[in-house]
């Protein structure tokens, strides 16, 4: 059976009120003695999504993945896949497959035998097994290595074999537990795009667990950020990065400079905020009105800041500081600037010109500035 050809359409079913979720997690809780590993999680995932659950170690993301696979039973709540309640269904009867971080390949079997294993367990006719295995190996570009054993493959090749085996039974839902964690950086970057392309070609719904923010941002249609067993925010990578709902999300996804302060005045969508970190006031855009005296946090991404050697004219938000640290990363340079209030602000500048030395130097006095709409005002 060939996978359906995907139409090149704008894929945002979560914005359609009439769209039916393919996976519904309804108020799911999982406890181990007195520990809440998953705490009243509710989540909708739509057909064909590449969905990422992102969080630090111990946040509950892997437990939630095991609940979806049926390897754990929820203490409370329901899991519904394609309209069917799977809460009490054993793992071997669910239309779900799971790709483990270790890949879990059988070392004594060849590549094609590994891919065929699950199909033979279901007593599929031999001719169909051969056809399906060939289809999967072509999909992951491993047909030429079908006779090799896992110990004769590179890490990236073993990863593709594990993916082919997971896809061979045509599951409705594929679960990936830190799928790229065992790969080196260069190979991981390449494999990210390979996985996305394979997911788009198959149309299967992927649920990935990862602690790697860059991995989640690169591969997923949407991300659920988790902390302490709860989902803190769900959104597209761009939405979560540009509009974090809390200080935790702002600092967990990428780098962020945070300035604590209090609202001084509200000027029709712009807040005047006093911050001791810069020993002055900030003017920031904010859609919701806030009363004077409300404690807030302003979050600014390092690339949104403008740095100059002279005080800018006409800029609303500006602060003076001294360059404390410099990191040259090739495509970008990172500068840590210490303000008079003692706060260290991170600035990222793109190296568009060939320079043998950093643009700025240690202990140099500089001015930072930004527009009112460059950051977000957070109350959580």
């Amino acid at each position: 059976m060939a996978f359906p050809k995907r139409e090149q359409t704008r894929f945002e079913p979560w914005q359609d009120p009439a769209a039916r979720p393919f996976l519904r997690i309804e108020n799911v809780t999982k406890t181990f003695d007195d520990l809440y590993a998953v705490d009243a999680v509710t989540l909708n995932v739509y057909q064909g999504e590449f969905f990422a659950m992102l969080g630090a170690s111990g946040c509950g993301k892997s437990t939630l993945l095991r609940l979806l696979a049926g390897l754990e039973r929820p203490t409370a709540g329901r899991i519904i896949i394609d309209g069917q309640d799977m809460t009490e269904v054993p793992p071997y009867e669910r239309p779900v497959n799971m790709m483990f971080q270790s890949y879990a390949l059988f070392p004594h079997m060849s590549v094609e035998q590994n891919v065929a294993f699950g199909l033979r367990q279901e007593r599929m006719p031999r001719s169909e097994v051969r056809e399906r295995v060939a289809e999967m190996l072509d999909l992951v570009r491993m047909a030429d290595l079908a006779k090799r054993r896992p110990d004769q493959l590179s890490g990236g090749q073993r990863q593709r074999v594990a993916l082919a085996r997971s896809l061979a039974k045509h599951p409705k839902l594929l679960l990936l537990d830190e799928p790229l964690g065992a790969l080196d950086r260069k190979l991981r970057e390449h494999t990210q795009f390979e996985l996305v392309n394979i997911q788009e070609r198959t149309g299967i719904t992927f649920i990935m667990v990862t602690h790697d923010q860059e991995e989640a941002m690169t591969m997923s249609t949407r991300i659920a950020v988790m902390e302490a067993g709860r989902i803190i925010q769900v959104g597209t990578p761009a939405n979560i990065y540009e509009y974090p709902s809390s200080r935790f999300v702002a600092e967990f996804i990428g780098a962020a400079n945070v300035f604590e302060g209090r609202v001084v005045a509200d000027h029709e969508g712009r807040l005047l905020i006093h911050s001791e970190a810069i020993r002055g006031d900030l003017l920031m855009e904010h859609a919701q009105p806030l009363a004077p005296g409300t404690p807030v946090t302003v979050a600014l991404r390092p690339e949104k800041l403008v740095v100059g050697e002279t005080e800018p004219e006409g800029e609303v938000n500006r602060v003076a500081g001294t360059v404390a640290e410099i990191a040259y990363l090739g495509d970008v340079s990172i500068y840590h600037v210490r303000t008079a209030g003692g706060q260290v602000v991170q600035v990222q500048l793109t190296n568009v010109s060939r320079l043998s030395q950093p643009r700025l130097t240690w202990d140099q006095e500089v001015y930072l500035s930004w527009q009112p709409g460059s950051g977000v005002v957070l109350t959580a």
Side-chain angles (χ1 to χ4, degrees):
M1 182 180 86
F3 289 111
K5 184 175 178 60
R6 297 285 299 280
E7 294 182 3
Q8 296 299 313
T9 57
R10 187 173 178 83
F11 179 65
E12 294 181 348
W14 51 88
Q15 295 182 337
D16 181 3
R20 183 172 70 97
F22 183 72
L23 167 66
R24 289 162 52 200
I25 301 173
E26 298 181 350
N27 203 36
V28 166
T29 296
K30 177 63 179 179
T31 60
F32 296 98
D33 297 325
D34 295 331
L35 174 66
Y36 278 76
V38 176
D39 191 359
V41 165
T42 294
L43 179 67
N44 290 332
V45 178
Y46 294 85
Q47 178 107 40
E49 278 203 78
F50 198 131
F51 195 94
M53 293 189 289
L54 174 66
S57 298
C59 73
K61 59 187 187 298
S62 293
T63 301
L64 186 54
L65 200 73
R66 292 175 62 83
L67 289 167
L68 296 178
L71 302 176
E72 300 283 354
R73 293 181 60 184
T75 307
R78 296 197 307 163
I79 296 171
I80 299 171
I81 301 174
D82 197 18
Q84 297 184 357
D85 191 337
M86 294 287 166
T87 310
E88 300 297 329
V89 176
Y92 53 84
E93 292 183 7
R94 297 190 182 198
V96 174
N97 217 334
M98 188 167 179
M99 180 177 156
F100 295 94
Q101 182 179 2
S102 63
Y103 308 146
L105 299 177
F106 297 109
H108 63 287
M109 293 185 183
S110 67
V111 166
E112 61 183 359
Q113 289 171 336
N114 266 282
V115 176
F117 180 79
L119 304 176
R120 288 174 175 160
Q121 289 292 105
E122 292 190 345
R123 301 188 183 280
M124 180 181 285
R126 289 185 179 181
S127 60
E128 292 185 28
V129 170
R130 286 196 298 270
E131 182 180 341
R132 185 75 62 86
V133 169
E135 178 189 9
M136 292 299 102
L137 293 181
D138 283 341
L139 182 68
V140 300
R141 297 186 290 113
M142 289 290 292
D144 293 343
L145 303 178
K147 301 300 182 182
R148 291 193 182 183
R149 293 191 308 274
D151 62 356
Q152 297 172 310
L153 303 175
S154 68
Q157 290 168 338
R158 288 195 294 271
Q159 192 262 1
R160 295 208 299 273
V161 175
L163 179 62
R165 185 178 64 183
S166 300
L167 291 171
K169 293 171 68 175
H170 290 177
K172 291 183 176 180
L173 194 65
L174 181 63
L175 309 176
L176 302 102
D177 184 12
E178 302 277 4
L180 309 181
L183 306 182
D184 62 66
R185 180 180 176 85
K186 202 75 174 178
L187 184 56
R188 188 165 64 245
E189 291 174 353
H190 174 74
T191 309
Q192 286 173 4
F193 294 105
E194 274 198 339
L195 269 178
V196 171
N197 290 333
I198 289 171
Q199 189 271 335
E200 289 179 347
R201 288 168 61 187
T202 62
I204 293 174
T205 305
F206 282 24
I207 308 289
M208 175 179 69
V209 154
T210 181
H211 67 276
D212 189 311
Q213 297 96 330
E214 181 182 322
E215 195 171 286
M217 297 278 285
T218 301
M219 300 169 66
S220 60
T221 52
R222 289 190 300 155
I223 300 170
V225 181
M226 294 190 67
E227 181 191 23
R230 291 180 175 269
I231 291 179
I232 307 301
Q233 184 176 356
V234 177
T236 63
N239 178 260
I240 286 183
Y241 185 80
E242 299 291 354
Y243 301 98
S245 62
S246 66
R247 179 170 177 170
F248 171 81
V249 176
E251 293 183 312
F252 188 76
I253 301 290
N257 298 299
V258 293
F259 303 97
E260 296 179 351
R262 289 186 178 273
V263 175
V264 176
D266 189 335
H267 298 291
E268 298 180 349
R270 289 191 171 187
L271 298 175
L272 186 65
I273 301 165
H274 181 76
S275 175
E276 286 299 320
I278 67 167
R279 295 183 178 175
D281 295 335
L282 311 174
L283 187 64
M284 302 298 299
E285 292 181 359
H286 190 63
Q288 302 298 322
L290 293 175
T294 303
V296 295
T297 298
V298 174
L300 285 165
R301 299 295 184 187
E303 71 275 10
K304 310 293 188 188
L305 295 164
V306 177
V307 60
E309 299 179 38
T310 59
E311 185 171 4
E313 296 182 3
E315 297 292 342
V316 175
N317 298 301
R318 57 182 178 268
V319 60
T322 304
V323 177
E325 300 290 347
I326 301 173
Y328 175 76
L329 304 179
D331 55 339
V332 298
S333 291
I334 306 296
Y335 299 92
H336 288 179
V337 178
R338 190 180 303 278
T339 69
Q343 180 157 343
V344 175
V345 181
Q346 180 171 311
V347 184
Q348 178 177 302
L349 299 181
T350 303
N351 296 321
V352 294
S353 300
R354 298 179 66 192
L355 299 172
S356 60
Q357 296 294 329
R359 252 182 262 188
L360 307 174
T361 188
W362 287 267
D363 299 325
Q364 182 177 351
E365 293 186 2
V366 295
Y367 291 88
L368 307 178
S369 61
W370 62 93
Q371 295 298 314
S374 297
V376 292
V377 179
L378 305 169
T379 57

